[in-house]
Amino acid sequence: MRRPATLQFIAVLAVGLVLAACGKEQPAEQAAATATATAPAPTPATAVSSQVAAMTADQLREAASKAYAENRLYAPAGDNAVEYYLALRDKTQGDAAVASALTDLLPMTVIAIEQSVNRDDFSEAKRLSALLEKADAQHPALARLKASIAAQEATAAQRAQALTAEEEAKRQKDLEEKRLADQKKQQEDAAKKLAAQQAATDKAAADKVAADKAAADKAAADKAAADRAAADRRAAEQRTASAAAAPSASDLRPISMPAPKFPAEALRAGQSGTVLVEYTVGTDGTVTAARVVRSNPARVFDREAVNAVRRWRFQPVASPVTTRREISFNPQG
């Protein structure tokens, strides 16, 4: 009678061992998923990792620039440009460059949150949402994104109840792979967009510099032309004034104008003629220069005409006057 009781005890013990073994053989992925599900959700206060928050301002600035250049804009957690800039903002209040960088990065972060929700990656969506809230607690998309995360997470939880442990582990693995692939592509696309925006900004700045230079060059050319025109007007006015002030032949007042001697040979021959003499009267009234312009007959009366003109005297004048006079030679006169 004791043998059946012994067999029953052994059977119960075997069942217990099998159940214990099954419990120990749960997939590691399922344990990790359970730990993730029970981990506290990130908040703005914990959005930046403690390691990042402990870095100095110079270290953060260098790390942010490197992450930005390597397309680590908002991922992976603890090593991305958004976290570095947020920590840097905490250490350097009022830094315009940091504020500008965060302004450029937040639209990409919003898109990343939406895409994380679409692939049921709620832990990543909450992490990014906490970063967004820390960056701008009044961001217009923040309330909508939080509501979307909560609603989609509730729906996903209902679906997950129907999955086996093995299926849930596979889903988590696929989700992680898709997250990494999506993040890589999204951040590369975002970096290209930012680069295009910066190129457009640089081109606009260069165009403005060129336009300003062209305008300055034109203004300088216009001023130079105006200055030349004004100088020409002043010169013309001065010439006109000088011409008006300068004495002319009509202003000459003779003091002494002795007649020329009549050449003896011409007198004996009974020749007559004329000589046109050009002469200059100096400021003291003396004739400073004289020359024959034409004569008829040629060279007969030239010398005596010039000698006579050189002896002429006039009243002083303000400036030299050059004029002409025809001198006649007539043996009968």
Side-chain angles (χ1 to χ4, degrees):
M1 294 298 293
R2 293 179 181 176
R3 187 172 182 181
T6 302
L7 291 175
Q8 184 178 6
F9 172 76
I10 293 173
V12 171
L13 180 62
V15 170
L17 292 173
V18 169
L19 291 176
C22 290
K24 292 180 180 179
E25 291 175 359
Q26 284 185 328
E29 293 86 347
Q30 183 179 0
T34 303
T36 301
T38 59
T43 66
T46 62
V48 175
S49 72
S50 57
Q51 292 86 349
V52 171
M55 296 169 67
T56 66
D58 289 340
Q59 290 172 333
L60 288 169
R61 203 178 303 278
E62 182 179 356
S65 298
K66 183 178 181 183
Y68 201 104
E70 294 177 356
N71 300 338
R72 288 179 282 108
L73 304 182
Y74 49 79
D79 186 18
N80 60 80
V82 173
E83 285 191 51
Y84 291 132
Y85 279 123
L86 286 174
L88 186 57
R89 187 180 68 178
D90 291 341
K91 294 179 184 295
T92 57
Q93 297 293 328
D95 191 319
V98 173
S100 177
L102 286 171
T103 298
D104 290 341
L105 289 168
L106 290 190
M108 286 69 176
T109 306
V110 169
I111 294 172
I113 295 171
E114 293 170 340
Q115 292 171 338
S116 296
V117 172
N118 290 338
R119 64 171 179 266
D120 291 351
D121 190 358
F122 304 113
S123 61
E124 180 68 1
K126 291 176 182 177
R127 181 185 74 83
L128 295 173
S129 177
L131 287 176
L132 177 63
E133 186 172 0
K134 179 174 176 61
D136 182 4
Q138 305 301 319
H139 195 283
L142 188 60
R144 173 181 61 80
L145 291 170
K146 284 186 172 182
S148 176
I149 293 171
Q152 191 74 3
E153 189 173 26
T155 302
Q158 293 176 355
R159 290 198 307 266
Q161 290 177 355
L163 298 178
T164 65
E166 183 178 352
E167 290 171 337
E168 176 62 17
K170 183 178 184 305
R171 189 184 74 83
Q172 291 291 338
K173 180 180 179 183
D174 292 343
L175 180 63
E176 180 64 19
E177 291 176 352
K178 191 169 190 310
R179 172 198 293 176
L180 295 176
D182 286 351
Q183 284 180 345
K184 183 174 185 297
K185 184 177 186 306
Q186 289 160 10
Q187 292 184 112
E188 287 175 351
D189 292 344
K192 289 177 182 177
K193 183 177 180 181
L194 288 173
Q197 291 174 347
Q198 186 61 47
T201 300
D202 292 345
K203 183 178 184 302
D207 290 345
K208 185 178 184 304
V209 170
D212 290 346
K213 184 179 184 303
D217 291 345
K218 184 177 184 304
D222 291 345
K223 184 178 183 303
D227 290 345
R228 286 196 299 272
D232 291 343
R233 284 196 301 272
R234 288 194 297 271
E237 290 169 357
Q238 289 173 355
R239 288 195 297 272
T240 301
S242 297
S248 63
S250 62
D251 295 318
L252 294 176
R253 300 290 182 265
I255 295 175
S256 173
M257 298 182 69
K261 292 181 180 180
F262 206 103
E265 293 182 1
L267 184 60
R268 286 193 296 270
Q271 282 184 302
S272 62
T274 59
V275 179
L276 180 63
V277 179
E278 181 180 86
Y279 60 97
T280 299
V281 178
T283 56
D284 62 353
T286 63
V287 174
T288 59
R291 70 181 184 89
V292 175
V293 177
R294 67 172 181 270
S295 59
N296 183 32
R299 293 186 297 278
V300 174
F301 302 102
D302 291 6
R303 179 180 296 177
E304 294 302 333
V306 169
N307 288 340
V309 170
R310 287 184 181 277
R311 295 194 299 272
W312 290 355
R313 296 290 180 272
F314 299 85
Q315 291 181 0
V317 289
S319 60
V321 177
T322 298
T323 186
R324 293 180 180 185
R325 176 170 292 193
E326 187 176 71
I327 301 174
S328 298
F329 291 82
N330 189 341
Q332 305 298 326

